[in-house]
Amino acid sequence: MDGKHVVVTGAAKGIGYAIAETFANAGASVTLMGRGREGLELAVDGLKSVSANVRFVQVDITDEASVAAGFAEAVEAAGPVEVLVNNAGISGSAPAHRMTLDHFDQMMATNARGTFMCIQQVLSGMMQAKEGRIINVVSTAGLKGYAYVAGYVAAKHAAMGLTRALALELAPKGITVNAVCPGFVETPMTAVSIANIVEKTGRTEDEARAELAALNPQKRLVQPQEVADACLFLARPDAHSVNGQAIAVDGGETA
């Protein structure tokens, strides 16, 4: 990854931070994107011990103007984007009969539409270079269904469909498009899910955590570094023929 410009969205914490750190360790020039400036500043400060070649750009991926301005700033600072990791996403639960259209639209706006807008921003440079890697961090929710998260599942299936369609469209141009689909990961987002289970069911935090871990045949939560390692593999030269794939990092849940 020496010298390659890698953009990671949703990079301030959790999976995104692990991905940014992994690429920085591999010698890449990394731009971290996210909505919260304070979190991004802390993340970049934390990565300075790994590499001086890191920076952040504040971006709201649900806003077209923000996305365009953010990627323009990133390109100006570090050159054309050679690897894009679309990690930014949100989750939320509600039974279908109570789910508001606003909730559903928020899931789609971030997890599908936002991913597409970020991809559009890097295509010109990648096509000109006749090379590029696009990696979408989707979820096992893009491969199967889960109860009470219909909006989230629908959005992640849309992101998976986008991955497959663009992989075919962009293959002749030297660009690969793949997805990494983790199960429940030890992240702040999963901590929120655990808190919701506790609130709605009366289970203890340990019981709620065990319930999520039980979905993994290995009976554990996936670690962020495992997702980051899969992303790094897809960006490497020896993964050039891997295209349009969904790599599940889930201990066998979707086997």
Side-chain angles (χ1 to χ4, degrees):
M1 292 294 108
D2 283 353
K4 286 190 176 293
H5 184 194
V6 178
V7 168
V8 183
T9 67
K13 58 186 177 180
I15 294 172
Y17 182 84
I19 293 169
E21 183 178 36
T22 298
F23 276 96
N25 269 318
S29 172
V30 184
T31 300
L32 289 73
M33 290 187 177
R35 286 183 297 180
R37 185 179 186 88
E38 183 178 353
L40 289 168
E41 288 177 339
L42 289 171
V44 168
D45 286 345
L47 293 176
K48 288 295 185 182
S49 61
V50 175
S51 169
N53 207 2
V54 295
R55 69 208 60 82
F56 75 85
V57 178
Q58 194 172 0
V59 174
D60 178 355
I61 69 163
T62 67
D63 182 90
E64 185 177 9
S66 177
V67 171
F71 275 86
E73 182 180 340
V75 170
E76 182 178 359
V81 179
E82 294 159 286
V83 178
L84 169 64
V85 184
N86 280 307
N87 171 71
I90 59 172
S91 66
S93 64
H97 66 288
R98 294 180 188 167
M99 186 177 296
T100 65
L101 286 179
D102 182 61
H103 172 97
F104 188 90
D105 289 344
Q106 285 179 3
M107 295 297 111
M108 296 299 293
T110 300
N111 298 323
R113 183 172 177 268
T115 295
F116 177 67
M117 287 196 295
C118 291
I119 291 172
Q120 280 191 313
Q121 291 298 316
V122 304
L123 287 183
S124 177
M126 289 184 177
M127 287 191 290
Q128 185 174 351
K130 298 181 181 179
E131 183 180 8
R133 302 296 172 90
I134 297 169
I135 302 160
N136 299 323
V137 179
V138 180
S139 166
T140 50
L143 304 175
K144 57 175 284 187
Y146 292 92
Y148 303 109
V149 286
Y152 179 74
V153 170
K156 291 299 187 177
H157 271 68
M160 196 60 244
L162 179 67
T163 300
R164 290 173 172 141
L166 291 181
L168 292 174
E169 181 176 334
L170 299 173
K173 307 180 191 308
I175 303 167
T176 66
V177 188
N178 289 288
V180 174
C181 300
F184 282 100
V185 184
E186 190 82 59
T187 63
M189 183 180 287
T190 297
V192 172
S193 298
I194 290 170
N196 287 337
I197 293 172
V198 170
E199 179 183 353
K200 293 176 181 178
T201 68
R203 294 184 179 93
T204 67
E205 182 176 334
D206 286 344
E207 289 171 338
R209 180 182 297 274
E211 181 179 337
L212 297 183
L215 294 172
N216 181 338
Q218 296 176 340
K219 306 304 178 188
R220 66 183 183 88
L221 296 179
V222 175
Q223 296 304 303
Q225 187 61 51
E226 296 175 286
V227 184
D229 289 340
C231 291
L232 180 62
F233 162 70
L234 290 171
R236 285 170 40 177
D238 51 356
H240 185 69
S241 291
V242 182
N243 191 30
Q245 301 306 304
I247 297 181
V249 184
D250 64 0
E253 180 186 352
T254 54

